[in-house]
């Protein structure tokens, strides 16, 4: 048999054997992890209403249920959300490695995203299951039809230290943190269905076009809870999970409506990143779109990813392998941060001519955002006024009573040296007296 035929036979054997071997390895890993669960602790992973089949881009709602045969022994972190967009407690294990983590470039580059917390309870487990609901889409974007198996190592549990722990070599800390391991869960992703995708997009759009609900004003009367708030939040989340080019375009329409920046995680996790970046650039160039500091940093992140192609960095203790050189890890983080800072500055300068063409309100906001990152260049381009507003010290003092409150605060604070002196005393006295009448 020729060498070419041997190579071909080897590849064919690999294709036949590898999936079975991988499956056995996955099942063995699950059994090994599952055996570490305490015998009196139970953790069940399921889907809402028992659904198992989902369209590509459809929300996959999960239910996590924890209970114990030993009441008052285990405490649970009951968080259901983190303001960053993903909880730090869940470690999902999938039976294949060809599934994208949609937000890895946001959370694991070490330059922009991070866990920021949120409200949560810490219930003590008893024999009645405590239920938490999450969405699998926050960890995986399924781009191919097929059957997937997953289990969860949930780093939510803790218990008080016992004398037995000390004898086993545990530290003298008051509590012990550990992960509970779930059962295997199987879900099936259906082949692409353009009709379903279009219908879902129109359903989301019908919610987003509604007027935003009114929120209570400080000191004003209370406002009844509006169900539309939850509907809008859910629709925007579904749009993020859909992640199609049409979903990205609808997200920018929503951003225009709100005069707010587009959904960061949708842009990061979009199926077609090139299209998402192009749509983002069109948004930044729109005459009425106000550029924010976050927009500048997010656009710089895409440049950083394109130029540097950084490998993911661990974010949590359970992601760091034993024996990891932490000094090397921190040095890599510092190097990335320095490079990213340079790219953010360059991005701010690149957007100066874009900001200069915007309508008045958007130009002002955009100029201030650019000036926060590249102050010298923004002032040179006249996007923001110079430190002295183009006035002499005498003119600043004389016109002080007529300045807007923000400008007065700046002169009395970080720009005090511009008006410091005896001539300012009578002006301040006059302002104070007029404010008391």
């Amino acid at each position: 048999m020729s060498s070419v035929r041997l190579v071909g036979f080897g590849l064919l054997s690999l294709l036949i054997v590898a999936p079975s071997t991988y499956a056995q390895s996955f099942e063995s890993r699950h059994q090994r992890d599952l055996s570490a669960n305490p015998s009196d602790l139970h953790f069940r992973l399921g889907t809402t209403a028992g659904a198992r089949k989902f369209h590509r881009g459809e929300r996959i709602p999960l239910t996590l249920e924890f209970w114990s045969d030993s009441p008052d022994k285990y405490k649970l972190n009951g968080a259901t959300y983190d303001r960053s967009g993903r909880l730090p407690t869940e470690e999902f294990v999938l039976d294949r490695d060809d599934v994208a983590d949609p937000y890895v470039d946001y959370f694991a580059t070490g330059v922009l995203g991070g866990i920021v917390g949120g409200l949560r309870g810490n219930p003590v487990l008893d024999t009645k299951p405590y239920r938490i609901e999450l969405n699998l889409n926050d960890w995986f974007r399924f781009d191919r039809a097929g059957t997937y198996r997953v289990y969860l190592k949930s780093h939510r549990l803790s218990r008080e230290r016992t004398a037995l722990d000390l004898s086993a070599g545990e530290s003298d800390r008051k509590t012990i943190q550990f992960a509970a391991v779930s059962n295997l869960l199987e879900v099936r992703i259906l082949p692409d269905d353009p009709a379903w995708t279009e219908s879902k997009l129109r359903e989301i759009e019908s919610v987003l076009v509604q007027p935003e609900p009114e929120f209570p004003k400080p000191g004003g009367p209370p406002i009844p809870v509006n169900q539309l708030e939850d509907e809008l939040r859910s629709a925007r989340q579904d749009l993020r999970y859909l992640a199609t080019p049409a979903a990205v375009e609808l997200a920018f329409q929503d951003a225009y409506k709100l005069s707010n920046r587009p959904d960061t995680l949708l842009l990061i996790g979009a199926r077609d990143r090139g299209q998402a970046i192009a749509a983002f650039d069109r948004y930044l160039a729109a005459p009425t779109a106000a550029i924010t500091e976050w927009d500048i940093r997010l656009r710089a992140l895409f440049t950083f990813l394109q130029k540097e192609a950084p490998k993911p960095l661990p974010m949590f203790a359970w992601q760091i392998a034993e024996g990891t050189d932490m000094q090397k890890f921190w040095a890599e983080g510092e190097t990335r941060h320095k490079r990213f800072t340079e790219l953010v500055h360059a991005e701010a300068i690149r957007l100066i001519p874009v900001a200069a063409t915007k309508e008045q309100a958007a130009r002002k906001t955009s100029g201030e955002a650019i000036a926060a990152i590249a102050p010298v260049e923004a002032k040179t381009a006249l996007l923001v006024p110079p430190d002295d507003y183009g006035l002499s010290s005498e003119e600043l003092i004389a016109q002080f009573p007529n300045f807007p409150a923000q400008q007065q605060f700046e002169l009395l604070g970080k720009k005090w040296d511009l008006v410091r002196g005896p001539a300012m005393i009578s002006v301040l006295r006059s302002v104070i007296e007029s404010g008391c009448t």
Side-chain angles (χ1 to χ4, degrees):
M1 186 180 292
S2 70
S3 59
V4 173
R5 292 180 64 191
L6 280 170
V7 170
F9 178 79
L11 289 173
L12 179 61
S13 301
L14 180 62
L15 290 172
I16 294 174
V17 174
S20 175
T21 303
Y22 192 91
Q24 292 172 4
S25 174
F26 174 74
E27 292 170 352
S28 299
R29 179 180 176 183
H30 176 244
Q31 288 301 318
R32 182 177 66 251
D33 288 343
L34 192 63
S35 66
N37 278 354
S39 60
D40 58 350
L41 177 69
H42 308 282
F43 174 26
R44 181 168 59 218
L45 176 67
T47 57
T48 303
R52 289 291 186 272
K53 298 178 181 179
F54 301 91
H55 292 279
R56 180 185 178 194
E58 182 177 2
R59 181 191 296 256
I60 304 177
L62 300 179
T63 58
L64 286 57
E65 292 183 310
F66 302 84
W67 71 99
S68 172
D69 300 327
S70 305
D72 302 326
K73 181 177 179 180
Y74 300 104
K75 183 176 287 188
L76 179 75
N77 177 349
T80 57
Y81 78 99
D82 184 275
R83 289 192 299 272
S84 68
R86 179 151 74 184
L87 287 162
T89 47
E90 315 314 326
E91 180 183 358
F92 286 94
V93 184
L94 202 62
D95 67 341
R96 47 200 288 183
D97 60 1
D98 60 348
V99 180
D101 175 346
Y103 313 135
V104 66
D105 287 338
Y106 177 73
F107 289 108
T109 52
V111 297
L112 188 62
I115 301 301
V116 295
L119 296 176
R120 60 203 61 200
N122 294 99
V124 176
L125 298 184
D126 57 23
T127 56
K128 181 180 179 180
Y130 185 91
R131 181 169 173 155
I132 293 173
E133 296 184 352
L134 303 175
N135 296 308
L136 188 59
N137 315 67
D138 289 326
W139 284 268
F140 298 113
R141 190 188 68 224
F142 297 97
D143 292 333
R144 298 177 180 83
T147 299
Y148 299 81
R149 292 183 300 163
V150 63
Y151 68 93
L152 174 57
K153 298 174 70 175
S154 188
H155 298 259
R156 292 175 174 266
L157 277 297
S158 64
R159 63 174 175 81
E160 291 190 3
R161 176 186 56 81
T162 66
L164 185 61
D165 297 318
L166 286 177
S167 64
E170 287 281 353
S171 68
D172 59 355
R173 58 190 175 184
K174 186 176 180 180
T175 60
I176 293 175
Q177 306 284 332
F178 66 97
V181 178
S182 78
N183 55 291
L184 285 177
L185 175 67
E186 183 174 289
V187 296
R188 181 183 171 195
I189 305 301
L190 301 171
D192 271 350
D193 182 349
W196 178 89
T197 303
E198 179 64 20
S199 174
K200 185 63 179 178
L201 192 67
R202 298 285 76 84
E203 175 190 321
I204 295 170
E205 185 178 28
S206 70
V207 177
L208 296 183
V209 295
Q210 299 183 66
E212 293 293 310
E214 183 181 1
F215 290 96
K217 297 178 181 179
I223 295 177
V225 175
N226 191 333
Q227 184 180 347
L228 181 57
E229 292 180 32
D230 290 336
E231 293 177 5
L232 286 166
R233 186 181 303 109
S234 180
R236 288 172 179 134
Q237 199 170 41
D238 282 339
L239 197 63
R240 179 187 297 172
Y241 298 153
L242 202 57
T244 61
V248 170
E249 295 294 344
L250 182 54
F252 279 109
Q253 293 178 32
D254 190 42
Y256 283 122
K257 168 194 166 188
L258 298 176
S259 297
N260 194 14
R261 66 173 183 254
D263 185 340
T264 296
L265 292 184
L266 172 57
L267 296 185
I268 293 287
R271 299 185 196 178
D272 186 335
R273 176 163 289 178
Q275 178 266 343
I277 293 174
F280 192 20
D281 284 338
R282 289 194 297 272
Y283 169 82
L284 294 174
T288 59
I291 299 172
T292 66
E293 285 187 60
W294 185 263
D295 290 329
I296 297 171
R297 295 182 184 280
L298 178 57
R299 187 59 184 84
L301 176 66
F302 285 123
T303 301
F304 179 76
L305 294 170
Q306 290 174 327
K307 291 187 174 182
E308 307 293 328
K311 293 181 179 179
L313 294 176
M315 291 183 61
F316 318 116
W318 51 265
Q319 292 178 318
I320 301 175
E322 187 175 352
T324 298
D325 185 346
M326 295 306 296
Q327 292 297 327
K328 184 177 180 180
F329 169 75
W330 292 119
E332 172 64 18
E334 290 177 1
T335 299
R336 290 188 184 189
H337 188 267
K338 180 180 179 181
R339 175 60 176 146
F340 181 65
T341 300
E342 294 171 350
L343 291 174
V344 170
H345 188 265
E347 183 62 30
I349 295 173
R350 185 185 74 84
L351 288 170
I352 286 176
V354 175
T357 64
K358 292 184 178 291
E359 295 182 3
Q360 184 176 0
R363 186 181 190 279
K364 181 177 184 299
T365 301
S366 302
E368 291 170 350
I370 292 171
I373 297 169
V376 174
E377 293 84 354
K379 291 170 187 175
T380 301
L382 303 180
L383 277 183
V384 292
D387 286 339
D388 59 7
Y389 309 105
L391 301 173
S392 67
S393 178
E394 292 76 11
E395 290 171 325
L396 288 171
I397 294 172
Q399 297 182 35
F400 183 88
N402 301 319
F403 287 150
Q406 179 61 36
Q407 192 169 339
Q408 289 181 342
F409 289 146
E410 289 178 354
L411 288 169
L412 294 176
K414 60 183 180 181
K415 298 181 179 180
W416 175 241
D417 285 342
L418 295 176
V419 294
R420 182 197 299 270
M424 192 64 183
I425 297 175
S426 61
V427 174
L428 290 176
R429 183 180 292 116
S430 174
V431 171
I432 294 171
E433 289 175 350
S434 65
C436 296
T437 57

